Amino acid sequence: MRHNNLNTGISHHMQLIPSGKYFLPFLLLVFFFSFFTACKRVHKKASPSGFSDESFSDKLESVLKPIDTTAMKKARTTSEDVRLAYELDEYQPIWVKENYVPAESVEKLISDLEDMRWDGIDPEKYNLTAIKKLKAKLDTGKKNRVGEAVAFDTLLTHSYLAAAHDLLIGYVTPKTVDSLWFHENDSVWNAPQLLVEKGKYTPLDNYRSYVPTYSLLRNEYKRYYTLAVDSDFNKAIAGIHSEPHPDSTLVDNINTVIKTEFPWIETVHNDTMSEEAQLIATYQRYTGIRSTGKLDSTTFAHLAMTPAIYMNELGANMERIRWMQQQFGDLYLIVDVPLMQLFLRKEGANVVHMNVVVGKPERQTPSLFAKMANIVINPPWGVPPTILKQDVVPGFEKSGKKYLAQKGLKAYDRKGKLVNASRLTQKNLKNFTYKQDPGDDNSLGYVKFNLPNPWDIYLHYTPHRGDFGKYFRALSSGCIRLQHPQEMAVYILSELEKKNYTPGKLDTIIETHKTRWEVLKTRIPVHIAYLTAFEDTTGKHVQFTRDIYHRDEKLISALAN
C-alpha cells in the first residue's frame, strides 16, 4: 500500500509539470528563482530611525556563533540568547541608529547597569566601562567602521541579557553554595523577545523581584552605602575599637552608632529597664544577638562592624530572594529559618505571626516552596527513617522497652498489625514501623499543616512548648514547630475556607483525641527560606539574624568572585 500511495503521489505531481513548448521557459524560471533566493538574503524588517545599511546585518550574522540545537540542556547561555535576539530581529541593530550613532536607549541601559550596585552586584560584571568607551568612540561623529558598530551593539545586547537574567533568576547557581536550597523559581525568561520590540526599551527594573522584602533590603543597602562615607559614624566605630574601658566617650560612641544605624529605635522611661538598656536590647534584637540589654563581648563586636559587612549580608539575601518567585501574590506564608519566625500575610499585612522551632544544625531545615493542602487535627505520628535511626534505636539500646513507653510509641508489622513490645529486640527493632496515637504527648501536638513536598517537611505543634521562648530555637529534626498553631488553624478555616470554626470548636475537637482532616480549597503558598536579613513585624525596617547554619560566607564569596 505504501508503494501504491507513493506512485500515486509522483504521478499526480508529474501532471503539474508543463510539457512540450512550455517546458523550457518553466525550467528557466525555476532556475533563476532558485539562484536568486539562494544567493541573496533579504532583511525584510526596517531598523530604528530608518537604518538601511545591510553591511551591518551581513557582518553581524557572520560573527555570531550559531546556536547549538543538538545539545540537550535546560537553558540557553547568554551568548545563545544574544544570537536568538538578533535572529528574531533579522540581524538588525538594536542599540545604534543610522550612521552608527548610539540610540537613546543606550543611556538608559548605562543608567540601569550603574543602578545594579544597589542590588549588591558589581556593574563591571556587565562591561560598564567598556560600553562607555565604545559609546564615546561612536559619539565622535567620525565615520566608523561597521565592525565597531557590531562590536558595540552585541556588547550591549550581551550585557543587557546577562543583567536581566541575574536580576530575574540569580547571579549564582543556588546549588553551588547551598545544597539544601530547593525553592522554586518559576520566572518566565523572555528577555530576548522583549529586547527586540521596536521603539520600546524594557527597563532592567522589570526583572527585579516584586517581593516587598527585596526592595526593603535594596533600600537598606543604599543606606549602608551612605553610612560607609559618614565621617561621624565611622569615627564612632573607630572609637569603640580603640576604647578598652567604659567611660563617657565610649558611651557616646555607642549611642552614635546605634542611633545612626537604627534611627527608628525608641526608648521609654520606666522603672523596669533604663533607656540605655532599652536602646542596647533593641539594637541586639535588630542585629540577631541575644537581647539582654547588657554590653557583652558579642554586642561590642557587632558595634564595631563596618557598613561593608552589613552590605555583604544584604547583597547575599537579595540574591536568595532572586532565587525565588518574582512575586508571591496577595496571600502567602513564609517561614524565615534563621529568624525562626513565621508570617502569614494577606494583602501585605501580617494576619498571623509567631515564633517557630526549626531544624537543628545537624538536621537542617531545607529551603523549599509548596502549597498547604490540608490541616490535620489530632494527627497520629509515624516515626520517619532518620529519627528511627538517630533517636529510637539508640534510645531502645539504652533503656529498652521503657524508652518506647515513655515516648508513647507502638510497633506495627508490614501488614499494619500491632506488635507486642515483648517481641522487640535490638536485632529486629528496625523491621517494624512506629507510631504515636493522638494526644497531649504526641510529637506533632494537636494540629498539623500538610504541604506535600519530597522532603516530608510540614508545620505542626509540639509537646515541647517551652522552646518557643528561647533565643536559639534550631532544635527540631527538620520540620517546623509552631508556637500558636491553633490560632493559625482557626484563621485559615474560618476566614479563608469560610467554615464555622471558632477557638472553642477547635478545642472541643482536640479533646476527643480523634483524628480529623480538613482539606483546603485555598492552597496557601508556603515559602520556607533561609534569609539572614529580613523585615521586622512592621515591614518597614530590616533586622539581621544569626547565621545558624553558617551559609552566608560561601554565598558572599561567590557573589564577590
Side-chain angles (χ1 to χ4, degrees):
M1 290 297 292
R2 289 183 181 179
H3 291 292
N4 292 337
N5 287 339
L6 179 61
N7 292 334
T8 303
I10 291 174
S11 300
H12 171 73
H13 289 292
M14 287 293 289
Q15 294 173 10
L16 299 178
I17 299 176
S19 59
K21 63 180 179 179
Y22 298 107
F23 179 77
L24 183 59
F26 175 82
L27 187 62
L28 289 172
L29 180 63
V30 171
F31 172 79
F32 281 115
F33 179 79
S34 301
F35 179 83
F36 180 81
T37 55
C39 298
K40 183 172 180 63
R41 173 177 48 79
V42 180
H43 296 287
K44 296 179 181 178
K45 291 184 70 175
S47 65
S49 304
F51 193 99
S52 59
D53 188 350
E54 288 233 354
S55 60
F56 181 97
S57 300
D58 294 334
K59 179 69 174 178
L60 177 61
E61 189 172 10
S62 68
V63 300
L64 288 178
K65 184 180 178 181
I67 298 175
D68 182 6
T69 57
T70 61
M72 296 294 293
K73 51 188 175 182
K74 295 182 179 180
R76 295 183 301 269
T77 65
T78 302
S79 296
E80 289 171 337
D81 273 334
V82 170
R83 174 82 186 207
L84 176 61
Y86 285 112
E87 281 185 354
L88 292 170
D89 206 33
E90 297 186 7
Y91 299 97
Q92 294 297 311
I94 297 172
W95 306 97
V96 297
K97 301 187 293 185
E98 195 73 44
N99 298 321
Y100 306 134
V101 176
E104 291 76 13
S105 56
V106 173
E107 283 296 342
K108 295 178 182 178
L109 176 58
I110 289 174
S111 177
D112 277 357
L113 292 178
E114 290 175 334
D115 207 40
M116 286 190 69
R117 72 186 65 185
W118 311 128
D119 297 281
I121 304 176
D122 183 1
E124 284 305 318
K125 297 180 187 295
Y126 310 101
N127 312 297
L128 182 60
T129 299
I131 288 172
K132 290 180 177 179
K133 288 181 178 179
L134 283 173
K135 180 181 181 299
K137 196 171 183 180
L138 292 175
D139 279 338
T140 58
K142 296 179 181 179
K143 189 175 182 180
N144 295 290
R145 294 174 299 172
V146 65
E148 293 173 350
V150 169
F152 177 74
D153 210 88
T154 53
L155 180 63
L156 267 72
T157 300
H158 191 283
S159 297
Y160 177 93
L161 292 174
H165 173 277
D166 294 347
L167 287 174
L168 184 67
I169 298 172
Y171 179 74
V172 177
T173 303
K175 285 300 180 67
T176 62
V177 293
D178 187 345
S179 62
L180 290 178
W181 187 278
F182 304 105
H183 203 289
E184 176 186 357
N185 185 325
D186 62 352
S187 302
V188 177
W189 177 242
N190 60 353
Q193 290 87 341
L194 290 177
L195 181 59
V196 297
E197 288 186 2
K198 293 303 181 185
K200 180 181 179 182
Y201 172 76
T202 303
L204 289 179
D205 190 50
N206 284 31
Y207 299 98
R208 285 191 175 91
S209 173
Y210 297 143
V211 178
T213 308
Y214 189 88
S215 58
L216 187 67
L217 297 185
R218 195 169 185 268
N219 290 334
E220 194 72 349
Y221 190 98
K222 291 181 184 179
R223 195 173 70 86
Y224 272 97
Y225 182 86
T226 62
L227 291 180
V229 293
D230 184 324
S231 58
D232 291 337
F233 180 70
N234 286 285
K235 184 179 178 181
I237 290 177
I240 294 173
H241 267 295
S242 60
E243 187 61 51
H245 302 292
D247 62 9
S248 59
T249 303
L250 179 61
V251 171
D252 289 342
N253 286 332
I254 289 172
N255 288 338
T256 297
V257 169
I258 294 177
K259 292 179 179 179
T260 304
E261 198 168 346
F262 302 102
W264 56 85
I265 293 179
E266 296 181 353
T267 58
V268 180
H269 180 74
N270 61 62
D271 297 331
T272 306
M273 181 181 284
S274 69
E275 291 187 58
E276 185 175 329
Q278 290 179 52
L279 188 70
I280 294 169
T282 309
Y283 170 82
Q284 290 168 330
R285 189 163 62 251
Y286 271 99
T287 52
I289 309 170
R290 190 188 299 272
S291 185
T292 63
K294 299 177 181 178
L295 283 170
D296 52 28
S297 58
T298 303
T299 306
F300 267 110
H302 275 74
L303 286 165
M305 285 169 57
T306 62
I309 295 174
Y310 287 107
M311 289 167 67
N312 286 337
E313 192 168 339
L314 290 163
N317 286 284
M318 281 190 280
E319 174 70 1
R320 288 181 176 123
I321 297 175
R322 290 191 287 265
W323 294 343
M324 302 162 79
Q325 287 96 325
Q326 191 179 21
Q327 49 190 332
F328 288 176
D330 292 333
L331 175 68
Y332 65 91
L333 185 153
I334 184 166
V335 174
D336 186 6
V337 173
L339 183 61
M340 296 174 281
Q341 292 183 19
L342 174 150
F343 301 81
L344 176 58
R345 291 176 174 162
K346 184 178 181 183
E347 297 176 354
N350 293 324
V351 292
V352 176
H353 168 249
M354 69 183 82
N355 287 344
V356 299
V357 171
V358 298
K360 58 188 71 172
E362 59 270 26
R363 300 184 194 177
Q364 298 180 10
T365 299
S367 298
L368 58 91
F369 171 79
K371 291 187 176 181
M372 191 180 296
N374 55 70
I375 298 174
V376 188
I377 304 169
N378 290 325
W381 180 59
V383 178
T386 301
I387 295 179
L388 176 64
K389 178 181 178 181
Q390 298 181 3
D391 295 338
V392 176
V393 171
F396 186 86
E397 290 174 349
K398 183 178 180 180
S399 305
K401 290 174 285 187
K402 290 183 180 179
Y403 173 84
L404 300 179
Q406 289 171 352
K407 298 294 182 179
L409 292 173
K410 296 179 181 179
Y412 295 85
D413 62 19
R414 294 180 180 179
K415 295 182 179 180
K417 293 183 178 181
L418 182 65
V419 176
N420 193 299
S422 62
R423 290 178 51 193
L424 301 176
T425 66
Q426 292 185 17
K427 291 183 178 181
N428 69 11
L429 191 69
K430 295 181 181 179
N431 297 336
F432 306 103
T433 58
Y434 300 85
K435 297 180 181 180
Q436 275 183 343
D437 292 332
D440 296 337
D441 297 325
N442 183 281
S443 293
L444 302 183
Y446 303 129
V447 186
K448 176 187 178 186
F449 302 82
N450 279 320
L451 31 138
N453 61 84
W455 306 276
D456 200 25
I457 298 297
Y458 44 83
L459 317 177
H460 66 92
Y461 198 26
T462 176
H464 305 289
R465 286 139 211 174
D467 291 343
F468 296 110
K470 296 178 180 178
Y471 162 67
F472 186 76
R473 299 190 296 279
L475 304 168
S476 82
S477 295
C479 286
I480 312 295
R481 300 175 185 171
L482 308 182
Q483 184 179 22
H484 304 299
Q486 285 137 287
E487 174 189 333
M488 189 163 81
V490 169
Y491 178 84
I492 292 172
L493 294 171
S494 62
E495 297 297 323
L496 301 182
E497 294 295 296
K498 305 302 180 184
K499 295 183 177 181
N500 182 25
Y501 258 89
T502 64
K505 179 178 178 179
L506 181 59
D507 288 341
T508 300
I509 296 171
I510 288 172
E511 288 172 2
T512 66
H513 288 185
K514 293 181 179 180
T515 302
R516 178 163 177 168
W517 292 70
E518 292 288 354
V519 178
L520 303 180
K521 294 179 181 178
T522 305
R523 297 296 182 95
I524 303 171
V526 178
H527 305 265
I528 298 176
Y530 193 88
L531 299 170
T532 53
F534 198 68
E535 65 260 35
D536 62 8
T537 53
T538 69
K540 298 178 180 178
H541 310 299
V542 171
Q543 56 182 335
F544 297 93
T545 75
R546 181 177 177 178
D547 183 11
I548 59 173
Y549 297 156
H550 305 289
R551 296 181 184 174
D552 276 357
E553 184 177 354
K554 193 173 183 179
L555 176 53
I556 290 170
S557 177
L559 287 169
N561 294 328

